[in-house]
């Protein structure tokens, strides 16, 4: 009799439990959709080239940056001809080029054979960008004196449904193709958000030497059904400069291209030279009465502008 | 006995559902991320297309259709001003790209409200469907919102918004158009700034069967501000 009652009470408790849980589950579904805590980032991600940071790589374009005086001076001393030096042709661009360059992402995952847990994600190299591993196994960062590379050292973790990663150990390089420098003390924080077939990568680059405020750039990619076609490795060749010819550069106050980008689009000098105040809405109000729009566009007015013309030319 | 148990179970389910509906099912209570507060545009991308009015006829990076070209080339801000269309570049297809401050509040438990100081626009993101899809189109259209939640223990999430029924407008100040048939999908994500503060990233996908050949995807970002002391409402302008 007692056993029978215990069994009945147990059934009753189960019914109550499932009813309550069921009701909560049904209503929870009507509130919102559920995102996975982790998503599959591996695959080929084609670039969506509808945002612009590089402005077709016209010299002395530091728009959208907050530079220190030292960063501005160093940028103004840069001569694009440096890339003709045989020892610099395959130097490539730093980690930030992931969101600044025109390429897509081909990402793979590597697992521990014993545990099957993911050890790392690897973003494959392009012709002018180095392979970037994102270590997911909780390994410590190397010593600050360890070797610094173009890709740096990156640790990742899943956080709030996004992949969060941080890159350190960067070699001194550039954050713009126009010669804006990024020092080896820089840190880059990344967030990879996935929404369906769209991957948006958010970059927050901080540099105590050359940036007054972080450079924040995002770029979206679309999942590709076919693997991305990557080009052959960079092979240096003679481009008119003999080894030992010296490094082309300008005195910062004598850069012959200082006005080129400003005149091309009637842009204010302080914006082109990367002053902090130009990044906020107040600046738009400040120049309202002085800005003169450029004449109507006559050439390369469409989708990609000069970049395509230059590359195919 | 069995019937009694079923009855009791059903009763408890209804009570639990009712309690849950009252306490946790409002969008405000269910928010996996906090979007409320003041945010400021941090214009580090597309500067030349956002901070100043680009040249007439320029539409770089926007995959426009042939139907858009006559409109782009005929753009005249004075005509828009005279026609009372000075807010055409502050519509839902462009407003998050306009350098502005956002004030995000809960208008009610199921409606998130976004005010902008640039152009004095108001967006209402409704988490419950309304029966007004035949309403007159507005600059900001009708936005349906839904949380996308990452379950515990990770937590976090995203806000997805789909907007339709808007007036035709401009994607850029210089008259690159989107039509009233466009659909605008947005994902609102937040991320910490390592040295302090919070970023809001709004990934926006604009699809328009009339004036775009492909989706136009942009992702403007905003920094959170401590208060509204820099809030400075200014009216729409077709010339600036």
């Amino acid at each position: 009799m007692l056993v029978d009652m215990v069994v009945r009470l147990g059934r009753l408790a189960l019914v109550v439990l499932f009813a309550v849980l069921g009701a909560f589950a049904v209503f929870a579904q009507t509130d919102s959709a559920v995102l996975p805590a982790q998503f599959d980032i591996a695959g080929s991600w084609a670039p969506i080239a509808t945002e612009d940071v590089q402005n077709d790589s016209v010299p002395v374009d530091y728009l959208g940056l907050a530079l220190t005086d030292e960063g501005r001076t160093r940028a103004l001393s840069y001569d694009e001809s440096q890339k003709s030096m045989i020892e610099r042709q395959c130097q490539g661009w730093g980690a930030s080029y992931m969101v600044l360059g025109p390429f897509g992402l081909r990402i793979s995952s590597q697992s521990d054979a014993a545990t099957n847990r993911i050890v790392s994600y690897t973003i494959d190299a392009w012709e002018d960008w180095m392979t970037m591993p994102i270590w997911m196994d909780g390994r410590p960062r190397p010593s600050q004196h360890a070797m610094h590379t173009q890709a740096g050292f990156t640790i990742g973790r899943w956080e709030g449904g996004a992949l969060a990663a941080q890159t350190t150990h960067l070699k001194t390089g550039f954050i713009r193709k126009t010669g804006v420098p990024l020092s080896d003390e820089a840190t880059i924080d990344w967030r990879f958000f996935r929404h369906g077939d769209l991957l948006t990568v958010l970059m927050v680059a901080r540099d105590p030497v050359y940036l007054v405020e972080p450079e924040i750039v995002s770029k979206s990619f679309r999942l590709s059904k076919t693997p991305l076609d990557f080009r052959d490795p960079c092979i240096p060749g003679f481009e008119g400069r003999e080894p030992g010819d010296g490094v082309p550069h300008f005195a910062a106050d004598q850069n012959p291209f200082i006005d080129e980008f400003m005149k091309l689009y009637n842009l204010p000098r302080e914006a082109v030279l990367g002053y902090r105040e130009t990044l906020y809405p107040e600046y738009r109000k400040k120049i309202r009465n002085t800005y003169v729009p450029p004449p109507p566009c006559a050439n390369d007015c469409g989708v990609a502008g000069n970049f395509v013309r230059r590359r195919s030319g | 006995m069995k019937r009694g148990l079923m009855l009791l179970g059903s009763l408890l389910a209804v009570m639990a559902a009712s309690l849950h509906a009252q306490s946790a099912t409002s969008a405000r209570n269910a928010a996996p991320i906090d979007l409320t507060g003041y945010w400021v545009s941090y214009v580090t991308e597309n500067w030349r297309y956002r901070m100043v009015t680009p040249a007439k006829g320029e539409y770089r990076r926007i995959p426009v259709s042939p139907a858009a070209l006559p409109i782009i080339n005929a753009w005249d801000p004075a005509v828009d001003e005279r026609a009372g269309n000075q807010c055409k570049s502050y519509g839902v297809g462009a407003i998050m790209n306009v350098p502005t401050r956002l004030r995000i509040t809960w208008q009610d438990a199921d409606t998130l409200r976004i005010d902008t100081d640039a152009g004095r626009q108001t967006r209402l993101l409704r988490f419950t469907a309304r029966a007004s899809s035949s309403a007159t189109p507005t600059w900001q259209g009708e936005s349906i919102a839904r949380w996308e939640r990452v379950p515990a223990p990770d937590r976090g999430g995203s806000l997805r918004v789909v907007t339709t029924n808007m007036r035709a407008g401009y994607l850029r100040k210089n008259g690159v158009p989107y039509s009233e048939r466009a659909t605008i999908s947005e994902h609102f994500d937040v991320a910490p700034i390592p040295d302090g503060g919070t970023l809001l990233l709004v990934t926006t996908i604009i699809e328009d069967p009339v004036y775009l050949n492909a989706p136009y995807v942009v992702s403007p970002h905003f920094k959170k501000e401590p208060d509204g002391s820099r809030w400075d409402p200014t009216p729409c302008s077709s010339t600036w």
Side-chain angles (χ1 to χ4, degrees), chain B residues 141-185:
Chain B
E142 291 188 30
S143 298
I144 301 297
R146 185 181 72 166
W147 293 120
E148 296 182 325
R149 168 195 309 281
V150 175
D154 292 277
R155 302 190 186 283
S158 180
L159 174 66
R160 176 173 161 76
V161 178
V162 177
T163 303
T164 55
N165 199 32
M166 76 286 282
R167 290 178 72 177
Y170 295 144
L171 296 170
R172 282 193 191 145
K173 203 84 190 171
N174 64 341
V176 182
Y178 64 91
S179 80
E180 63 282 353
R181 291 172 58 195
T183 299
I184 296 168
S185 307

Side-chain angles (χ1 to χ4, degrees), chain A residues 22-213:
Chain A
F24 269 89
V26 165
F27 277 80
Q29 282 167 16
T30 58
D31 280 343
S32 57
V34 175
L35 284 178
Q38 302 177 11
F39 57 78
D40 188 8
I41 195 173
S44 281
W45 299 90
I48 300 173
T50 49
E51 292 197 272
D52 198 2
V53 178
Q54 302 267 15
N55 294 305
D56 304 331
S57 297
V58 178
V60 192
D61 161 20
Y62 316 144
L63 277 182
L65 284 159
L67 299 176
T68 61
D69 289 341
E70 188 177 352
R72 191 173 301 107
T73 301
R74 184 158 173 166
L76 284 166
S77 71
Y78 178 75
D79 183 342
E80 277 187 341
S81 300
Q82 288 181 16
K83 288 293 179 186
S84 293
M85 297 168 66
I86 201 154
E87 60 269 46
R88 296 194 183 202
Q89 285 171 24
C90 295
Q91 187 180 43
W93 304 97
S96 61
Y97 200 48
M98 188 200 310
V99 291
L100 301 173
F103 298 98
L105 306 177
R106 196 166 61 188
I107 305 175
S108 57
S109 64
Q110 292 73 44
S111 305
D112 183 312
T115 64
N116 215 25
R117 294 175 73 92
I118 289 179
V119 174
S120 63
Y121 294 107
T122 298
I123 306 176
D124 287 348
W126 313 311
E127 64 179 15
D128 58 358
W129 194 75
M130 284 173 67
T131 297
M132 177 193 267
I134 301 174
W135 299 105
M136 302 295 292
D137 57 356
R139 70 182 60 195
R141 284 190 190 279
S143 152
Q144 59 173 320
H145 305 298
M147 186 170 71
H148 286 220
T149 63
Q150 293 279 29
F153 182 86
T154 305
I155 288 175
R157 68 190 185 283
W158 290 100
E159 194 176 294
L163 174 61
Q166 187 179 67
T167 302
T168 56
H169 294 78
L170 290 160
K171 193 172 184 169
T172 297
F174 302 97
I175 198 165
R176 284 278 172 88
K177 282 183 140 180
T178 51
V180 180
L182 195 70
S183 83
D184 59 2
E185 294 179 39
T187 301
I188 300 180
D189 287 84
W190 309 94
R191 291 261 159 172
F192 297 77
F193 298 100
R194 181 172 180 171
H195 296 293
D197 284 349
L198 204 67
L199 180 72
T200 302
V201 183
L202 175 69
M203 176 190 82
V204 180
R206 295 169 292 147
D207 184 351
V209 181
Y210 296 130
L211 294 177
V212 178
E213 286 198 23

